[in-house]
Amino acid sequence: MKVQNYINGNYQNPISNQWLNNYCPANGEIYGQTPNSSKEDVEAAFQVAKTAFQKWSKTTLEERSKILIKIAELIEINLDKLAEAESEDNGKPLSLAKSVDIPRAASNFRFFGHAITQFSSESHESSGQNAINYTLRQPIGVVGCISPWNLPLYLFTWKIAPAIAAGNCVVAKPSEVTPITAYLLGDICTKAGLPKGVLNIIHGKGSTTGQAIVEHPDIKAISFTGGSKTGAQIAKIAAPLFKKLSLELGGKNPNIIFADCDYHAMLETTLRSSFSNQGQICLSGSRIFIEEALYNRFKTDFVKKTKALKVGHPRETNTVIGALVSKPHLEKVLSNIEIGKKEGTVLCGGNKITVKNYENGYYLEPTIIEISTNDCKINQEEIFGPVVTLMPFKNENEALELANNVTYGLSATLWTNNLKRTMRITHQLKAGMVWVNTWMHRDLRTPFGGVKASGIGREGGFEALRFFTESKNVCIKY
Ligand code: NAD
């Protein structure tokens, strides 16, 4: 499949005719090409977006809402095609793409299609001074949206939907590792009646295409999801240009388990929070801390259940763990496991798997490493694969210290039935999102984002609509 840029409602080749190979993680074969777009392509997209903004920013909320909801419906109609494309491009189980990624991409458009009709701003009467202030929230103009490969269409649409709902026009770049569903989205937007130039999808590497979007002086806001190092680089470029920035970055999330929790619910959910999507979810609970009294029971059961997880071709219905996204990523995860072997004890997994008929695919056993200190590389640096660590703790204070002692602060999960402890711990955890007795339970109205090296700003609900608008206070004396 040859991916093309989507500019002004048309598919086109990159101006410089530079291309990247697209690999299928399930068999390691090249199955298509993707543009490696240049500054010139970004400029072409910016120019049409700027023109489209004149009209799009003045459309009624109902009109925008109708188009966004239509895009959601068309994503649902094309669910099978999009899920197959996502699974082939990313290596994730087809069942996961069908049940999570693609339905969620549709929900993103439907949610923001409705949310924009409910978005309001403040008014402040200066009592006794005969003046009233009201806040105008206006679209910014042309904005940039840059997304990663782990949940390709899901995270791409999570940015684009609020940006266009708020009246902006967009230059968007999906990950060059997984470009296919973003490519297919262009056609869906055209069919849904999205005016030309409102959304422009440019493909290419971060260092070429991505950086050109960030460096563009007139793209005034960047919503970025990806690694913390990339986020820091983007912040450095954007700061002197005074761009609005939303940075959703890496995580090294603690999963704190107390002996008084609902054991079976915790065990099943912990399997998911460890290995769903091959552990390639920013919210995965990769550092598991267990209260001493429960440690041995949990360790035995968790290892047994992990060994039973079926690693296989993403299309096979009994596959729970598919292929990792790319060869370099597989190698990165394997090199972390090697470090883990020195820092701790591998309780299960740790090896590359050869799947019959797909010998060159990027398959890896789900891996559990037992450690005795949190101050080790595998517990401090993001691995972003099917690798978790286990470590016991003695009491609440120690659990908190272990959970917070890391440079990241995206999410945390807590398992306990003690309400007072829940309140104490949730108040003290340094994370943008905390789940208690559940994991990745999402409500799209809630603020989404992290603290520390996990980023700045919040997405989700009205937070996203606030990010994609500029507020202007108007004070009227009467
Ligand atoms: P990445 O930072 O390598 O790339 C993310 C995107 O940024 C890609 O589209 C890439 O092409 C682009 N990019 C790279 N360098 C760039 C530059 N200099 N300028 C502009 N754009 C550039 O991340 P990745 O490997 O694709 O994704 C994995 C990372 O994403 C993990 O760290 C994971 O935790 C994080 N992530 C975070 C969240 C969240 O919501 N916090 C969600 C998913 C993934």
Side-chain angles (χ1 to χ4, degrees), residues 140-207:
I140 296 168
V142 180
V143 300
C145 297
I146 302 175
S147 60
W149 49 256
N150 65 320
L151 301 164
L153 193 64
Y154 173 137
L155 289 175
F156 195 55
T157 54
W158 182 232
K159 297 178 177 307
I160 290 167
I164 62 178
N168 300 286
C169 292
V170 177
V171 178
K173 190 194 94 61
S175 169
E176 65 277 24
V177 185
T178 52
I180 304 291
T181 47
Y183 166 64
L184 297 173
L185 181 68
D187 188 41
I188 287 176
C189 289
T190 302
K191 288 190 175 127
L194 188 71
K196 287 174 191 279
V198 173
L199 172 63
N200 304 280
I201 302 169
I202 310 292
H203 298 269
K205 283 188 182 175
S207 54

Side-chain angles (χ1 to χ4, degrees), residues 61-78:
L61 299 182
E62 288 69 24
E63 204 172 326
R64 278 183 233 159
S65 172
K66 213 167 85 187
I67 294 173
L68 264 81
I69 290 166
K70 185 74 193 161
I71 296 173
E73 287 166 4
L74 289 176
I75 290 175
E76 281 159 350
I77 289 170
N78 287 285

Side-chain angles (χ1 to χ4, degrees), residues 146-151 155 158 173-177 204-207 209-212 214 224-231 233-234 237 247-251 280-283 329 382 384 408 410 433 448-450 454 459:
I146 302 175
S147 60
W149 49 256
N150 65 320
L151 301 164
L155 289 175
W158 182 232
K173 190 194 94 61
S175 169
E176 65 277 24
V177 185
K205 283 188 182 175
S207 54
T209 323
Q211 194 141 333
V214 178
F224 169 81
T225 300
S228 298
K229 274 194 188 140
T230 318
Q233 202 178 339
I234 288 175
I237 299 168
L247 300 175
E248 302 293 338
L249 310 177
Q280 302 166 141
I281 301 184
C282 55
L283 307 167
H329 190 59
E382 190 184 38
F384 214 55
Y408 295 99
L410 189 57
M433 294 162 282
F448 183 99
S454 293
E459 297 186 335

